[in-house]
Amino acid sequence: MPDPRLTGLGGGLFCAAVMVALGFLDQLLFGTSSALYGVLFLPVCALTALWVRRSDLLRAPVMVPIAFTAGLLPVAAGGEGVVGRLVGLVAALATQAGWLYGGTLVAGLVAIVRRMRQVRQRRRTAPAQRPAT
């Protein structure tokens, strides 16, 4: 299995690019199926949190909602013009909030587990310190 390590910005760009691509693919193949888009969002969140560097772990749960919104642009059904598109995006965010929260939770849990493993590994490898006498 590949073991890429993305920076915080790289993880955000990866997640946003994949979600925009999935949004366009969803629109092209399924005619803007919001449920399918939400289901596909969950593994992207997990991969983003798995592939981000250890020093950028806390950024993973922050990046994924932004990427969800970026990818929702092609999926959101809206009217003509900028205002119609914006209204469609806000409506889609309101109706798909469960997927958004779920994906953020997945990324947060993966980041927390990775952080706990990192701390546990650091404690094991650190030399035992004795109190001064």
Side-chain angles (χ1 to χ4, degrees), residues 3-22:
D3 192 26
R5 290 293 169 223
L6 302 171
T7 63
L9 178 61
L13 291 174
F14 163 76
C15 192
V18 170
M19 291 314 300
V20 168
L22 288 175

Side-chain angles (χ1 to χ4, degrees), residues 23-36:
F24 278 118
L25 188 65
D26 182 23
Q27 180 190 30
L28 181 68
L29 296 178
F30 301 103
T32 66
S33 171
S34 298
L36 177 66

Side-chain angles (χ1 to χ4, degrees), residues 5 49 52-58 110-126:
R5 290 293 169 223
V52 75
R53 293 186 313 190
R54 288 180 181 168
S55 61
D56 293 328
L57 275 175
L58 295 179
V110 170
I112 287 171
V113 168
R114 283 190 60 205
R115 178 69 180 156
M116 287 173 38
R117 289 181 65 205
Q118 177 186 5
V119 168
R120 200 174 306 140
Q121 181 182 11
R122 198 178 293 161
R123 283 184 184 162
R124 259 189 257 139
T125 59

Side-chain angles (χ1 to χ4, degrees), residues 18-99:
V18 170
M19 291 314 300
V20 168
L22 288 175
F24 278 118
L25 188 65
D26 182 23
Q27 180 190 30
L28 181 68
L29 296 178
F30 301 103
T32 66
S33 171
S34 298
L36 177 66
Y37 178 78
V39 169
L40 293 174
F41 176 62
L42 298 177
V44 173
C45 291
L47 284 176
T48 301
L50 280 173
W51 287 350
V52 75
R53 293 186 313 190
R54 288 180 181 168
S55 61
D56 293 328
L57 275 175
L58 295 179
R59 289 182 177 93
V62 175
M63 302 180 238
V64 293
I66 298 167
F68 183 84
T69 305
L72 202 58
L73 285 171
V75 178
E80 296 294 322
V82 176
V83 174
R85 243 353 193 174
L86 186 60
V87 168
L89 179 64
V90 170
L93 281 171
T95 58
Q96 301 303 316
W99 293 112

